[in-house]
Amino acid sequence: MEIRKKLTFQFLGIVAIILFFASLAIYISFSTSRKEEFFGRLESKTKLIAQMLIEIEDIDTEMLRKIERNNPLSLPNEKIIIFDYQNNIIYNTDESQLLDIPKESIDQVRLDKQIRFAQKPYEVFGAFYTSDYDRIVVFAAARDIYGFSKLKRLQLILLIVFIISLITVYFAGRLFASRALLPVTDIISQVNGIGVTSLDQRIYEGNRKDELANLAITFNGMLNRIEAAFKTQKNFIANASHELRTPLTVITGQLEVTLLKERKNEEYQKTIKSILDDVRNLNQLSNRLLLLAQASSETSETSFEPIRIDDILWTVRSEILKRKLNYTININFSARIEDEDKLKINGNDLLFKTALSNLMDNACKYSNNKTSEVLIDADNNSIFLHFRDNGVGIPKDELTMVFQPFYRAKNSTGVKGNGLGLSLVEKIVKQHNGTIEVTSTINVGSEFKITFPIF
Ligand code: ADP
């Protein structure tokens, strides 16, 4: 069911319940007060008749009948029946015997002094009156024609008011519900207008205060994130294809030039060496891209096992030094490490090696002395790895950007690289529940610090 209809019917239901109980209360209170008033009049009647009979000495029932016949204040269809102390009727205006007063009722009047009951269509009031000489029971009965007709009219009025109110509330509810939901309809049509090619569009945020404005603000926030992710993705693909195409173009050019004419052996060797260099770079690039994809995927099937950090550091160090003979990598242990067996984390050997190797390699690569200082530190909860160098440093405004794929700082020109290393390191560290921080001063040096919770 549409929300508009639901709201209308809920509103209608609440109003119907309130109206019903309000009408019921009005009806009951009116009906009770009619009854009270009518019995009050019947009581006055019995009192008057009894007074006449008891207090006026000369009056007899015949005279009473005459007085009563001409009484303009008589009630509609009024009947009076009086019993003496032996239950004999001493006065009765009910000639056609429409009323039937049972003996028990007479006894009860003597007991309770008063009695009220209904004998359709009459309402009957009985009372017990005594004097020194008399003990009489007087019953007065009559039909409350006016009272009941008023009650009927009230019933009709309440029913009409009930129906008209519900109809009015139904249409008013529909109108208000439609008005209240108009901004939602508006948001839906705006959202429908946003496609892959128009991700820069935003939803109108109205007064920026109510719930719907909040919805629009939240949605716009999500659009901002989607747009940014889309841009990153696009840039990534553009950068990746550029990085792959450039060495391929260079290789093709070199081969074409070499093939133009017959060349000496040394020249062929020089070309092949240069091409081998490019192919190695291409290989490293495609490996890094693959690892990046693997480290970025949430449902990565990377297997994790307990690994010793210091062991991996030594292995990575010797692998780098085998390739780069001019590099120096010094590994130091903090004095507060008492038990080296505690330097364990739950991780993936290959990914972890890649991350540490990138940090060591960068430290040497971006410093004149080609030296990297590694410090292993730990407290009770965490392991800290510091990679320090005395190199070119990273400009302050670029400190966070260096973790973006393919981003290279302005001062890195002249040093070979593709800008993928640090983004890969950050992804791997995150995957291992770690954090990475960088501090750097231009032409003084840089320090990368990674922290892992102890396994
Ligand atoms: P690459 O080294 O291949 O360019 P990285 O992702 O490893 O890519 O590094 C990104 C950028 O961060 C580098 O281009 C460089 O500008 C800067 N950088 C990284 N490590 C260092 C360092 N130790 N000293 C100075 N600059 C660094």
Side-chain angles (χ1 to χ4, degrees), residues 55-177:
E55 288 172 14
I56 308 173
E57 274 179 19
D58 295 338
I59 209 159
D60 61 8
T61 50
E62 208 40 52
M63 196 184 280
L64 195 62
R65 200 180 304 275
K66 271 185 198 154
I67 296 170
E68 272 304 299
R69 200 171 293 150
N70 300 322
N71 187 352
L73 296 175
S74 288
L75 296 163
N77 294 11
E78 184 187 274
K79 316 266 180 252
I80 309 279
I81 306 173
I82 305 175
F83 296 90
D84 66 7
Y85 69 100
Q86 285 177 321
N87 286 1
N88 296 320
I89 296 177
I90 53 168
Y91 180 77
N92 188 358
T93 59
D94 183 20
E95 281 103 13
S96 14
Q97 298 203 325
L98 297 169
L99 272 179
D100 172 29
I101 309 286
K103 191 180 164 293
E104 298 83 63
S105 300
I106 306 169
D107 290 341
Q108 207 182 336
V109 176
R110 287 206 182 93
L111 223 83
D112 299 344
K113 307 289 182 240
Q114 276 193 0
I115 187 175
R116 294 169 169 205
F117 61 94
Q119 205 172 81
K120 285 225 166 133
Y122 295 96
E123 277 163 304
V124 188
F125 182 86
F128 184 47
Y129 295 100
T130 54
S131 74
D132 293 346
Y133 311 103
D134 275 322
R135 273 174 294 146
I136 54 169
V137 175
V138 184
F139 281 96
R143 289 176 65 183
D144 189 7
I145 297 172
Y146 304 116
F148 276 110
S149 94
K150 272 192 207 161
L151 203 62
K152 269 249 156 64
R153 200 170 322 139
L154 179 71
Q155 232 176 31
L156 187 72
I157 291 171
L158 287 177
L159 187 73
I160 293 172
V161 168
F162 185 75
I163 294 170
I164 292 178
S165 305
L166 285 197
I167 295 172
T168 317
V169 164
Y170 173 74
F171 285 107
R174 258 173 73 115
L175 188 76
F176 284 119

Side-chain angles (χ1 to χ4, degrees), residues 284 288 358-359 361-367 387-389 391-395 398 401-413 415-425 440 445-448:
Q284 190 208 34
R288 281 183 169 183
N358 269 310
L359 291 170
D361 192 59
N362 275 354
C364 299
K365 194 165 79 172
Y366 292 104
S367 44
F387 298 84
R388 295 182 188 130
D389 64 64
V392 293
I394 303 169
E398 292 181 279
M401 303 199 304
V402 288
F403 293 101
Q404 291 171 13
F406 297 106
Y407 191 89
R408 306 201 70 212
K410 284 188 285 287
N411 60 346
S412 69
T413 39
V415 183
K416 266 198 176 175
N418 46 38
L420 276 182
L422 283 184
S423 60
L424 190 55
V425 172
S440 186
S446 312
E447 175 174 340
F448 287 84

